[in-house]
Amino acid sequence: MCDLNDDFEDLEMNFTQSEIKMLGWDDKEWIVEGVTFLLFICGIIYLYCS
């Protein structure tokens, strides 16, 4: 892996409200999609291991 230099501490990520809306981070739909994905993966593991 790469070592981070001292400039890493100066890293800042600034998003405007329009960029946040464009990325879809202003809604909570990604939470539902994430939970659904995790349940799907857990279901596959459960069925495979049983």
Side-chain angles (χ1 to χ4, degrees), residues 18-44:
S18 62
E19 290 172 330
I20 291 173
K21 185 170 278 228
M22 182 182 69
L23 291 170
W25 292 347
D26 61 336
D27 60 5
K28 301 298 181 228
E29 183 179 340
W30 61 271
I31 294 174
V32 175
E33 292 172 354
V35 170
T36 304
F37 177 74
L38 288 175
L39 288 175
F40 181 73
I41 296 299
C42 290
I44 290 174

